[in-house]
Amino acid sequence: MGSFHIDAKVGDVAETILLPGDPLRAKFMAEKMLDDVVCYNKVRNMLGFTGMYNGKRVSIQGSGMGMGSTAIYVNELIKTYNVKNLIRVGTCGAIQEQLEVGQVILAMSASGDSGANTAYFGGMHFAATADFGLLMKAYETAQKLNIPTIQGEIFSTNTFYDDDPNRWDKWEKHGILGVEMESQILFTLAKRLNAKALTILTVSDNIKTGAAAPPQEREQSYSDMFRIALELA
Ligand code: HPA
């Protein structure tokens, strides 16, 4: 019964799950956007909720920060709870100057520095990509909702703090839009375990320009991102 880090019954988690990093955002969004909400997990306060959105059953759970934490939940959600569609909804630091705070990004691929992947693939580099079907649906849904999105490449890092000021220059040159901390391992594990994954991000800050969102603006663009994810679910 249950898995190591999720104390729920098989069947308590929906086939489609939204994964914000922050468990309190999962709670806030579940209570705001879903009907008939049930909290299925409280282990480590990594809260998980299942409810109904427009007649469809959907779950929202925190993933924690970083690829180590994310990998634990993604493994257990797919292997034990048979989750089929995993949609990360999070934030990123933009590394392209022209990207404004609040911009919604649909991630096509995630480069990254996952040590787990380096070890697993023997030093070779797996190209971690989103599921095309989910990506296309997210794009169409955003168009329908009149929410402007940019489709492109992102970078997942396990190191938030670093003392090299030019750290992202090469990645910027290669068109990477922004930096976050979860998607490379999410995409990789979904592929390995026969599930589908997508990442929708909001730019919370711009690493090049130093711009950052005031809290209220952040709230609006975060809602946009959740609406895209829930509508496509
Ligand atoms: N680095 C990594 N992850 C992030 C950042 C960042 O600057 N901003 C938001 N998520």
Side-chain angles (χ1 to χ4, degrees):
M1 275 279 292
S3 61
F4 228 93
H5 303 88
I6 302 173
D7 181 23
K9 291 194 292 292
V10 175
D12 284 353
V13 187
E15 260 194 18
T16 298
I17 192 164
L18 274 56
L19 295 169
D22 177 0
L24 288 182
R25 183 155 299 275
K27 181 175 195 288
F28 179 78
M29 285 297 174
E31 287 170 354
K32 184 171 142 177
M33 312 281 270
L34 306 183
D35 298 319
D36 306 323
V37 179
V38 176
C39 176
Y40 63 76
N41 186 56
K42 287 189 174 150
V43 178
R44 284 176 187 254
N45 276 325
M46 200 55 81
L47 306 172
F49 304 85
T50 298
M52 302 297 286
Y53 184 82
N54 284 345
K56 289 258 169 85
R57 198 160 171 267
V58 58
S59 294
I60 308 179
Q61 185 187 315
S63 67
M65 289 182 284
M67 292 190 269
S69 177
T70 301
I72 287 173
Y73 294 105
V74 169
N75 263 294
E76 294 181 18
L77 287 167
I78 299 174
K79 288 181 186 162
T80 304
Y81 295 96
N82 307 312
V83 171
K84 302 289 183 216
N85 306 299
L86 302 96
I87 305 169
R88 163 163 160 70
V89 277
T91 60
C92 70
I95 59 172
Q96 303 282 340
E97 220 158 282
Q98 79 283 4
L99 284 181
E100 308 246 2
V101 161
Q103 173 69 53
V104 177
I105 293 173
L106 305 179
M108 292 164 51
S109 69
S111 298
D113 59 20
S114 162
N117 272 20
T118 302
Y120 185 91
F121 292 105
M124 285 179 269
H125 306 286
F126 176 71
T129 56
D131 177 78
F132 180 72
L134 286 182
L135 183 64
M136 189 169 67
K137 255 194 220 162
Y139 177 72
E140 289 170 351
T141 304
Q143 297 261 302
K144 208 173 60 194
L145 294 173
N146 259 321
I147 299 168
T149 58
I150 295 180
Q151 293 60 242
E153 298 84 16
I154 61 167
F155 188 101
S156 305
T157 181
N158 274 317
T159 315
F160 187 91
Y161 294 106
D162 189 272
D163 50 18
D164 176 5
N166 306 317
R167 182 184 182 195
W168 300 117
D169 288 0
K170 286 175 183 160
W171 299 98
E172 177 193 1
K173 200 167 168 174
H174 286 76
I176 299 291
L177 299 173
V179 182
E180 51 90 88
M181 304 187 72
E182 292 80 17
S183 297
Q184 184 189 20
I185 203 70
L186 166 65
F187 292 170
T188 304
L189 290 174
K191 267 288 185 301
R192 191 177 305 159
L193 301 172
N194 210 16
K196 295 175 178 179
L198 175 70
T199 289
I200 307 176
L201 299 172
T202 300
V203 174
S204 59
D205 54 291
N206 189 310
I207 295 170
K208 297 295 284 190
T209 64
Q216 224 161 16
E217 220 172 276
R218 234 179 283 173
E219 215 49 61
Q220 177 55 46
S221 41
Y222 291 179
S223 300
D224 283 349
M225 181 169 65
F226 271 84
R227 273 174 63 219
I228 297 171
L230 286 168
E231 286 287 337
L232 86 94

